[in-house]
Every structure is written in C-alpha cells, then in structure tokens.
C-alpha cells in the first residue's frame, strides 16, 4: 500500500500479530505505546495520521521523506524518549524535534508492509520479544530495535478508517399486521440512501428517456459482446456486437447514442440537447463481409472536427470518412492499412491479448494507429493526406509485448497507455507490470527509448491484481499540466504526482474510499474520472451499491470525501440493480451546458440523470 496522505486517519497494525498500535490504558503509563486486540463491541482502535516534515527542516530528499505520526484524537505524536528500555511513547508535539520524526520504508517483496524507523539513528518500531506469542498477553509493548530483515514483528501495515460519507436514510411505508387480521401501514427506514441536502454536485433523479437500446426484449434485447474501453479512460471505445456507447456522430459537439446492432449495422439516436434523444436510426448499414470479431469506434482521425467510422476488421484497419451530405462511405474496397486486424493477413491481433489505440502520437492533430502485439509495440503514423504508413519489418519497440521476450505483458493484468508524460506533445508509453511502472519516452524523431523502471508501486506485486479490479488513469489532476497517476487500489484512491519529465513522485493514498477495502469491486462497480463541476479538474465518480458517488477534486492532488449525488445507476435493488456486464453507464455532456450528465443503458432503455450544478451563483 502507498504511504497515506496526512489527512487520512488510519490504524497502524503489526503484521506479525495483527494487533493495533495504541496508548497503554493504565495509570502512570506516561503515554507508553502497545499493540492490543480489540474485540467486537470493545473500544475502537486508535487512529493516526502521517504528517510530512518539510524537506527544508530536516534536509532530506524525496526518498528520505520524514513524517510526524500524530494521534488523530488528541494530537499527541509518536516520540522516542531515548529511555533505557527503548519503549516508544506518544507525547506532546514539539517543533523540529528529530525524536518525533519517522521514516516509512517499504518491505521489499511484501506488499503493504513497512518498517517505521527513527530519523535519528535508524532504529525501527518493534515488539518486546517475550510478549509477542506469550499466552494471555493482551498488551504488547512497542519498542525500538536494530533493523532485522528476518524479524516479522518489525513489519507494520496501515489500515485506513472507514470513509466519512454524507447521505440520508430513505423512509418508506411498510405493512403492519394486527392481532385481529387487520393491516395498517407505518413509516419506517429503508436500507436505501438518498443524497444529503446540499450535495455537490447535485444530479436529477434517474429518468427513462428512450425505450430502446435496453437489455429487455421490449427495448431491443441488447447484449454487449466485446466492448473494450481505452484503459486510460478516454472516450474512444472499440465496440463489438451489441455494444452501446456515446459519441459525437455529426461533429456538432453533442453526445449521441451509438450501438452496433448485429445484422443491422451501426445505429444511432441523436441527442436533442435537452437530455432526451431521437428515435433509433441506421447510421451505417452492415456489410456482407463484416465479422462478429470486428471492432468499431467513431473518432475524428484527421483533426477536422468530423467523426469517422473506424473498424478493426479481419483484413486490417478500415476508415469510413463522412461525406458532405452527412453519410459515411461504404465498407467495401481495400483497407486503409493491412495491419492491426484479427485475420492472419492483418497480423492476427486478438482483443483479449493485444491492446490497440487510435491516438495522436506526434502532436500533429491526426490520429495514428498503435498497438501492443506478442513481440512488442507497433505504430503506423497518419500523414497529412490521411494515409497510414505501412508497418516496418520490426516493431517500433521490442518491449511491452505479450511474449516473454517482450516482457510478458498480459492484457488483464498489465494496463498500458499512450500519454504525453513530458509535455513535449508526443505520446510516451507507460505500463504497469508486476513490479511497478515502466516508461518509454518518445524523442523528437519519433523513436521510443528503452523502457525505464520509474516507480516501485501500483503493480501486481503490490496488490494491484488486475486491470479490472484496480483501474489506473494517467491524466493531469492539477492546473500545472503534468500528467499524474490516479489509481483505485486495495485500500482506496492513490495518486502519484507527475514531475513532467517521465518520472513520478512516490504514490500516496489520498482517499479512503472507492477501494477493495471499502467494498468496491470491478465486477460490481464502475469508477471513472470526469470533470463534473466544470472547473477543468477531474473528479472521481463511482457507480456503487447505493447509486452514484462523487469525490470532488480540490485542485492540489487531494479529493474530498465522497458524496452520494444520485440514488440510481447502482448495484443494489434500491438503486436500480445495474450490472457491469449488462448495463453500460457513461458520463457525457448531453445538454451542451459544459457539465457531464449520467447516461445509462438499463433493461427498459436509456436512463438519464441531469447535472444540476451551477458554477455561477447569485445571492
């Protein structure tokens, strides 16, 4: 687990005993610290906060960051009194006191475990030997010992407190039976929740706006098969049969409904600009040669503001440009590039093994086609005439590929991205492998450098088991423009701030929510990043059990505690019984007011919740 941010309250747990750190509950203990068991129904564990010491005070580098470990309840801090018994205590905080400063050092090969060492002599928090396993010992004293890599008692874990959520219970009428068989009704609490008054941003109630594109037979019987979202969270989708998504089909700037309907083709329902949609119509008919393995998307490939239909077909990449009359060119003819397709003649690219991206890699405004195959990274640039360059005999980089010689990257475990990490306008390669983050920078000649290992975190070895369970995003979270990492890890939301040179600061746990520890799982819940308040900063949006939760971005790499903003689109029955594998949900501006709304494809059809937030308020 990354080091928590100073605002998080957390338990400090000894990894050897499973007991939590706290003050000795006895007269005359003078703040002595122990670890103890806390049975159900007993007192709550003591909570702590890690407060960074300013580098100028201690002269430390980023890798030697020191912390004051503060009791969240009374403000006292961990202190080394240099006593003969080496017992650690909690004491009143003193400015710049080195005896109250500690370093948190990850245990190599043990995800989520740390040594806690003093900033003075490098001694580490430990337990008194005889009491570790002694029977009947409720409290075990915490002491300082010399570092011993084999001592399990010197390993500590951070467990974040429950998130502080704001919501109100819902009242409902429940039947009440009487002794004489009569029945009346009484008002009682429901397990459902509703948004708290003043939740920011507020959303309207979920409203069915179109009885089509739904999973029920009456709404078309849609079943998504092969939809593949870009792992960096951008709105480009590779859609298989039955997929539904939102895209601008006309270039007017609106978000329309698009679906890939077997035997019919690409169909759409245009946005009316008021949160509703026109009836379904065919955008592009199916062609006889189309295969269920084809993947489709709509994207502006030339930078001219008009979307094209892009298909990864059996024979390669096909681009169907939009004509002046608003229709798209037929599917026939030669592909734009005989590569990146699922047929043998186009390279044998498989959706579950070989991620492909339609992205501007050079900064010229035109979309290029790139992908990670067995032997590495392949790239075809689009020139100003709209022509895609033939592939060379060798990959652009013999790394980030599926085979062992290219790194053994697996699509379900190792997310890869194409994103500008240096601010030079060119896309670099970023990938999370078992051991952490690897970066390959693109130079001004378009060549990709050998990958560099830049962050020992956020990989499989650190508890981030799969791309579905622990989504990761690379995008700016502050106004300085540098690309940061935002991830949903085992303990909550993690941020690693970008330095703007292809490297990142150590990851920090910034929010005790949206993680596995708080009950969020990839099979039940969606977690996205989007600007919901119109301040140009991405907020966290989670489709949870009770509905839609939003954590507002403060603009400094921190996020507010989540608020329930819409009692719909959630997993529980009270919130609509939405399922990840059947009911796609999106955040998009469908009204043109500059704020994203919620659009979901449920059983009966298309549901919408309008964003009611107003940036400019009047007194």
């Amino acid at each position: 687990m990354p080091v928590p941010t100073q605002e998080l309250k957390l338990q400090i747990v000894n990894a050897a005993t499973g007991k939590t750190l706290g003050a000795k509950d006895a007269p005359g203990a003078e703040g002595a610290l122990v670890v103890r068991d806390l049975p159900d129904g007993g007192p709550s564990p003591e909570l702590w906060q890690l407060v960074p010491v300013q580098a100028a005070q201690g002269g430390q580098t980023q890798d030697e960051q020191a912390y004051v470990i503060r009791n969240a309840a009374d403000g006292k801090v961990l202190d080394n009194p240099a006593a003969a018994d080496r017992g650690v205590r909690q004491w009143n905080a003193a400015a710049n006191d080195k005896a109250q400063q500690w370093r948190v050092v990850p245990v190599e090969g043990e995800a989520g475990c740390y040594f806690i060492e003093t900033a003075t002599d490098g001694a580490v928090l430990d337990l008194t030997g005889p009491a570790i396993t002694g029977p009947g010992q409720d409290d075990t004293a915490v002491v300082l010992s010399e570092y011993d890599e084999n001592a399990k008692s010197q390993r500590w874990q951070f467990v974040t407190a429950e998130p502080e959520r704001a919501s109100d219970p819902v009242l409902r009428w429940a039947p009440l039976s009487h002794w004489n068989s009569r029945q009346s009704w009484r008002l009682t609490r429901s397990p459902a929740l509703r948004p708290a008054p003043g939740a920011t941003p507020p959303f309207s109630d979920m409203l069915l706006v179109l009885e089509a594109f739904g999973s029920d037979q009456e709404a078309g019987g849609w079943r998504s098969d092969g939809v593949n979202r870009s792992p960096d969270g951008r709105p480009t989708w590779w859609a298989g049969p039955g997929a539904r998504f939102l895209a601008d089909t006309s270039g007017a700037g609106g978000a329309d409904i698009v679906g890939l309907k077997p035997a019919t083709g690409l169909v759409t329902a245009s946005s009316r600009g008021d949160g509703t949609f026109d009836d379904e119509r065919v955008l592009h008919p199916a062609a006889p040669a189309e295969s269920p393995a084809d993947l489709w998307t709509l994207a502006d490939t030339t930078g001219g503001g008009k979307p094209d239909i892009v298909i990864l077909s059996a024979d390669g990449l096909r681009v169907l440009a939009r004509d002046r009359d608003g229709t798209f060119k037929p599917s026939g003819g030669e592909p734009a590039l005989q590569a990146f397709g699922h047929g043998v003649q186009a390279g044998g690219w498989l959706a579950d093994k070989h991620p492909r991206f339609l992205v501007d890699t050079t900064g010229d405004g035109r979309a290029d086609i790139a992908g990670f195959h067995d032997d590495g990274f392949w790239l075809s640039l689009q020139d100003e005439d709209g022509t895609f360059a033939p592939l060379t005999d060798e990959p652009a980089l013999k790394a980030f590929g599926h085979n062992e010689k290219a790194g053994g990257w697996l699509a379900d475990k190792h997310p890869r991205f194409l994103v500008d990490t240096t601010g030079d306008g060119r896309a670099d390669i970023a990938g999370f492998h078992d051991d952490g983050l690897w970066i390959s920078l693109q130079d001004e000649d378009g060549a990709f450098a050998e990958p560099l290992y830049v962050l020992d975190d956020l990989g499989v070895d650190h508890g981030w088991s799969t791309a579905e369970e622990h989504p990761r995003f690379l995008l700016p979270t502050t106004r300085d423009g540098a690309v940061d990492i935002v991830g949903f890890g085992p303990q909550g939301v993690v941020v690693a701030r970008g330095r703007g040179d292809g490297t990142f600061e150590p990851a920090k746990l910034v929010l005790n929510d949206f993680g596995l520890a708080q009950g969020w799982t990839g099979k039940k819940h969606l977690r996205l990043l989007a600007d919901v308040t119109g301040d140009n900063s991405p907020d966290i949006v989670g489709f949870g059990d009770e509905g839609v939760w939003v954590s507002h971005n403060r603009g400094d790499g921190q996020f507010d505690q989540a608020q329930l903003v819409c009692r719909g689109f959630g997993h529980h029955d009270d919130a609509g019984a939405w399922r990840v594998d059947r009911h796609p949900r999106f955040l998009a501006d469908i009204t043109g007011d500059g704020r994203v709304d919620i659009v979901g494809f449920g059983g009966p059809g298309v549901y919408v919740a309008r964003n009611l937030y107003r940036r400019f308020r009047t007194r």
Side-chain angles (χ1 to χ4, degrees), residues 352-428:
D352 59 350
K353 288 177 63 176
H354 307 131
R356 283 155 285 179
F357 298 80
L358 196 63
V359 59
D360 177 12
T361 64
T362 62
D364 63 358
R366 291 181 170 271
D368 310 306
I369 180 72
F372 300 93
H373 208 290
D374 292 337
D375 52 358
F377 173 69
W378 292 82
L379 174 65
S380 171
L381 301 180
Q382 182 188 180
D383 63 23
E384 60 185 12
D385 297 324
T387 302
F388 287 87
L391 295 187
T392 57
D393 294 335
E394 296 288 336
L397 184 65
K398 293 182 179 180
F400 297 100
H402 182 83
N403 288 347
E404 286 297 325
K405 289 185 178 180
W409 293 75
L410 306 179
D412 61 336
K413 289 187 175 182
H414 307 133
R416 284 151 283 178
F417 305 80
L418 287 169
V419 61
D420 179 11
T421 64
T422 62
D424 63 357
R426 290 182 171 271
D428 310 305

Side-chain angles (χ1 to χ4, degrees), residues 3 18 27 33 114 121 162 181 217 400 407-408 451 460 474 503 505 605:
V3 176
L33 292 177
Y114 295 87
D121 60 8
E162 290 296 315
S181 299
Q217 288 301 316
F400 297 100
V460 175
L474 277 84
T503 66
E505 295 178 4

Side-chain angles (χ1 to χ4, degrees), residues 535-555:
D535 62 357
N536 297 318
S537 297
D539 308 299
I540 297 171
V541 183
F543 294 83
D545 289 330
E546 305 89 349
V548 183
W549 296 84
V550 167
S551 178
H552 182 64
N553 187 340
R554 299 178 188 171

Side-chain angles (χ1 to χ4, degrees), residues 259-580:
L260 189 58
K261 199 169 191 177
T264 301
L266 207 63
V267 298
T268 186
S270 299
S271 173
R272 294 173 178 160
D274 60 357
T276 64
F277 297 88
D278 291 331
D279 292 334
E280 176 186 317
R281 63 181 176 84
V282 176
L283 186 64
H284 189 274
E290 288 173 5
S291 164
D294 292 351
L295 297 177
W296 296 56
T297 194
L298 268 81
D300 178 9
T301 63
T302 63
K306 298 293 184 181
D308 305 311
I309 296 175
V310 183
I311 310 171
L312 299 176
S313 62
D315 56 359
L317 173 73
R318 291 184 171 273
V319 179
L320 311 180
R322 190 182 185 94
D323 290 330
R324 291 182 178 178
D325 61 359
T327 61
F328 291 90
K329 294 180 179 179
S331 301
E334 292 296 319
L337 181 66
Q338 193 173 344
F340 295 98
H342 54 85
V344 175
Q345 69 275 27
W349 293 71
L350 304 178
D352 59 350
K353 288 177 63 176
H354 307 131
R356 283 155 285 179
F357 298 80
L358 196 63
V359 59
D360 177 12
T361 64
T362 62
D364 63 358
R366 291 181 170 271
D368 310 306
I369 180 72
F372 300 93
H373 208 290
D374 292 337
D375 52 358
F377 173 69
W378 292 82
L379 174 65
S380 171
L381 301 180
Q382 182 188 180
D383 63 23
E384 60 185 12
D385 297 324
T387 302
F388 287 87
L391 295 187
T392 57
D393 294 335
E394 296 288 336
L397 184 65
K398 293 182 179 180
F400 297 100
H402 182 83
N403 288 347
E404 286 297 325
K405 289 185 178 180
W409 293 75
L410 306 179
D412 61 336
K413 289 187 175 182
H414 307 133
R416 284 151 283 178
F417 305 80
L418 287 169
V419 61
D420 179 11
T421 64
T422 62
D424 63 357
R426 290 182 171 271
D428 310 305
I429 301 172
F432 296 89
H433 210 288
D434 292 344
D435 53 357
L437 177 65
W438 292 79
I439 295 284
S440 172
L441 299 180
Q442 182 186 180
D443 63 23
E444 59 184 9
D445 296 323
F448 287 84
E450 284 298 311
L452 294 176
Y453 183 53
V454 300
L455 190 62
D456 180 22
D457 213 334
L458 311 184
V460 175
D461 293 344
H462 310 104
W464 298 66
S465 55
T466 66
E468 176 191 47
E469 195 65 67
H470 302 296
R472 278 144 279 186
F473 300 82
L474 277 84
L475 75 177
T477 63
T478 63
R479 293 180 178 85
D480 63 7
V483 170
D484 308 313
I485 300 169
V486 181
F488 299 92
Q491 290 288 340
V493 179
V494 169
V495 171
R497 296 287 301 276
R499 297 187 175 115
D501 60 358
T503 66
F504 295 83
E505 295 178 4
K508 290 188 177 181
L509 182 65
V510 301
L511 187 65
N512 57 337
D513 210 342
F514 299 106
L516 199 61
Q518 295 84 28
W520 292 75
T521 70
K523 296 187 182 301
K524 293 171 57 178
H525 309 121
L526 297 176
R527 287 154 290 178
L528 307 171
L529 290 171
D531 177 12
V532 297
T533 58
D535 62 357
N536 297 318
S537 297
D539 308 299
I540 297 171
V541 183
F543 294 83
D545 289 330
E546 305 89 349
V548 183
W549 296 84
V550 167
S551 178
H552 182 64
N553 187 340
R554 299 178 188 171
D556 59 355
Q558 304 293 324
F559 293 86
D560 290 331
Q561 288 289 338
Q563 290 183 305
L564 184 66
V565 299
C566 180
R567 192 166 63 88
F569 302 102
H571 184 82
H572 283 172
D573 290 346
D574 291 314
W578 292 71
R579 299 294 179 261
V580 169

